[in-house]
Amino acid sequence: MKTASRTLNLDTPLLAVVGKKSVTALAAKLDLHTVGDLVRHYPRRYVKRGALTDIAELQVGEYATVLARVVKTTLRKMRNRPDEYMQVELTDDHRGTLRCTFFHPERLQWVIVPGLRALFSGEVSTFNGTKQLTHPQFEAVEDSEGVRPFISIYPAAHGLTSAQVGRCVRQVLDVLDDPSDPLPAELRRTEGLADLGRALRRIHLPETEADFFGARSRLVWDEAMGVQLALALRRQRAVQRPAAPSPHVPGGLLEAFDARLPYTLTAGQRRIGEELAVDLASTAPMNRLVQGDVGAGKTVVALRAMLQVVDNGRQAALLAPTEVLAAQHARSLRSLLGPLAQAGELGGAEQATRVSLLSGSLSAAAKKKALLEAQSGEAGIVVGTHALIQDRVGFAELGLVVVDEQHRFGVEQRDALRGRGEQAPHLLVMTATPIPRTVAMTVYGDLEVSALRELPGGRLPIATTVVPTAEKPTWLQRVWARVHEEVRAGHQVYIVCPRVGGDDKTAADDAEQPDDGGGDERRPPLAVLDVAPGLAEGPLKGLRLGVLHGRLPAEEKDAVMRAFDAGELDVVVATTVIEVGVDVPNATGMVILDADRFGLSQLHQLRGRVGRGSAPGVCLLVSDMPPGTPARVRLDAVAATTDGFELARLDLELRREGDVLGALQAGRRSGLRLLSLLHHEEVIARSRGYAAELVADDPGLAHHAGLRGLVAEIVGDEERAAYLDKV
Ligand code: ADP
Ligand code: MG
C-alpha cells in the first residue's frame, strides 16, 4: 500500500493507492481509473458469510460469483493429449449442483478439495441439464474477506475476480477521508440521506442488511440528481435561444382547413391543439412530446400546428422514420388539405401552400425541385426522413419541426435538429410508443409531455390471438382461412415476417431481435422473399399479393403502398417497414409470423396498423416457441391487453434498462449503476423538483462544483468537458 495521503479525493488516480498491476487490470477490464470510479463500482450483491449461493437462482449466461462447497473432484486425462484436467462438483447444500472444469490443475488439485467452501466465478452455462461455470476462477474465502459478516460480490471480468476488486476497494476506503458530498446538506437533511463517505463505506462493507439498503437509497440520489440536473441545464439552454412566435392568424389556412375537416376532432385533439397553439405563439421555443396510442389521430394534430406556422409565413418540416411513412404522410397531408395544398396549381385555394416530399428515391430533377421549394419558402410543409432533411435542406424560414414516431430520438439528436440559427424552431415530437412516467422524466426529461388518451369514436377493439404452431400445427390453416375471410368481406391484410430474405441470414430491416438466449441454434427467422411466393402458390392462391421490404427501391415501396392504399392489393407481405404510422383504414387483418422475434412495443405498433377504420381488426401472432418461454410470455402479454401503457411498462421490465437510459448517454460507460426506471419513480420525481430549483437559483451551477461533477458522470464527453471546465 502506498502513502495514506490526506489529500486523497475522488479524482485521485488509482495509482496513488493501489498497486500497479491492479491498476492496469482495473483500467483494462472495468474501465476504472480514479478513486471515484472505483468507489462507485458498487457490489452487485452480497453473500452472507456461511450462507451458500442458491445455485437454482443462477441465470444461464450471467457472469456469476458463487460461494459453494466442493463435493467431489475428479482428475481426468484429455483425449489425445497428455494434459490432465480437473472436474469439480459444487453444491449449495440444498438442491443445486454446479460443475466446473479446471485445466492445468497441477497446483489447484491440492487446494480445491472436498469440503472446502470457496468463491467460484465464471459464466453460467448448462451441459446435459447440469449448470456449469465456464472459465472458472477460484478464490478461497478466508484470504479474501477476513471476518466481515457479508462478502461483497463485485461485477468482475475474466482475469479480474470479485475478490481482487474488493481488495482494491478496501485499500482505497482505508485511506480515503470523507469525500466532500456533492448533494447539498439541506437536500440530504430533508430526504434523510446519509452523507457520501458513510454511504460508500456501507455499500462496500456492510455490517447489516440495513447498511446496504440505506447506502443504496442514498447513492441512487447522486445518479438521479445527475440526470435531472443535466436535463434542467438543457432546458435552461434551450430557452435562451428565442423562437419566432407564430400566433394564430384569423382567416388563415388553419381556419380554412378546420372548415373542411370531414370529422370532428376528439376532445383530446382539441385540448392538445390549444396547448400547441399557445406554445407556438410564444418566443420560448416549444419543446413538446405528444404521446397518443396508435390510431389516436396525431397526424391531424400535427398538421394543424404546422398550418398555424405556415399562416405566419414560416415553414414546417415533418420528419418520418422511414421513406414509406414519409411518402404516406405527404400523400395524406395533401389529401387532407385538398385545394389548400395546391398553391400555383389550377384549382388551388387562394391562401394555399405546398407540401413537398423529399425522398431518397426522387429523380435528381424532382429532388432539385423539392429542395428549391423548401429554400424559396414555396413549400409551407416539407416532409421527409430525418437524414434527408437534416443534411440537405435549407429552409427559407423554418418555424416548426415535427418528429413523428421516433421514440428513440435522443436528446442530442433533438439538439441537432434545432439548428444553429439565431432563432430556434419550435419542436414537436409525436410517439405512439407509450412512455412510462419515469422514462418521460429522464430520456424525455427536457420535453413537456401531452397525452392523447382517447381514440376517435367508432373504433372497434382488435382481437389478438397467439397461434402456437408447436402445440397446434393445424391452427396455421385457420390463419390462412381467416385471411381469405377478411378479403371476402372486402378488407385487406398485412402479413409480417422478421426478415427480408435473399442472401441475408439474420438481418431484418430493423427488427429489435429480443435476446431470449439460445437463439443461435434456432432456424433463421422467416423471410418475406421465401414466404410470399409460397403463399401465392399455396394457401393464398387467387388473392392479389404485394411484397414490401426495406431493400426495395423507394419508388417501388411507394408503388406497393399506394396500390395497397387504393385497395388494388388484398394482402401485403412485409417486414417491419410497415411498423409505424402506416394508415390504411380498410386493412383489418394482421398476421405476424415468427412473432416471438419481435419486441413488445414493435408488436403493439404492428397491431396498431389494423382496426383503424370502422371494421374490427384481428391480429394473429404465429410462433413455434413453447409455452412458458420468455418469448411466449411476451406474446401472451400482447394478446391479453391493448393498453399501450401497460405494455410499455412490461417492456421496460423485460428489457435491460441500459437500452432505455442509453439514449441519454453518448456511448460511454454508463454513469448509472443503481438508478432504475422501474423502481425509483419517486426519487426521479423528487430529484427533478430539486434540480429545477437549483438550476433556477444558480444557472450553470457555478457555486455547486459537486453537483457539476454528478452531471459530468451522466452526460456525453463533449458536454462533460463543458461542465468540468466551468469553475
Ligand atoms: P396516429 O395517432 O396513430 O398517427 P393517425 O393520425 O394516423 O393516428 O389517425 C388514425 C386514423 O384516424 C386516420 O385514418 C385519421 O384520418 C383518423 N382520425 C383522426 N382523427 C379523427 C377524428 N377526430 N375522428 C375520426 N377519425 C379520425
Ligand atoms: Mg401516426
Side-chain angles (χ1 to χ4, degrees), residues 289-291 407 431-441 443-444 449 644-645 648:
L289 172 75
V290 169
Q291 90 184 75
H407 57 285
T431 178
T433 304
I435 297 164
R437 184 160 170 257
T438 47
V439 180
M441 287 189 291
V443 181
Y444 293 105
V449 181
F645 280 88

Side-chain angles (χ1 to χ4, degrees), residues 298-299 325 329 404-405 430 581 609 612:
K298 294 183 292 296
T299 313
L325 190 54
H329 267 320
D404 190 27
E405 298 296 1
M430 303 196 292
R609 301 307 106 214
R612 300 171 75 85

Side-chain angles (χ1 to χ4, degrees), residues 25-46:
L26 289 167
K29 310 264 179 190
L30 297 172
D31 196 15
L32 304 174
H33 310 275
T34 63
V35 165
D37 289 347
L38 184 61
V39 295
R40 296 267 189 199
H41 185 72
Y42 307 130
R44 173 175 292 155
R45 57 196 174 82
Y46 304 89

Side-chain angles (χ1 to χ4, degrees), residues 253 306-307 309-310 313-318 343 352-356 373-374 377-383 395 397-400:
L253 262 178
M306 294 194 275
L307 292 176
V309 167
V310 174
R314 302 200 174 83
Q315 294 165 290
L318 173 56
T353 185
R354 294 187 70 81
V355 176
S356 294
E373 284 180 344
E378 251 175 285
I381 297 175
V382 179
V383 185
F395 288 90
E397 195 182 351
L398 186 60
L400 169 65

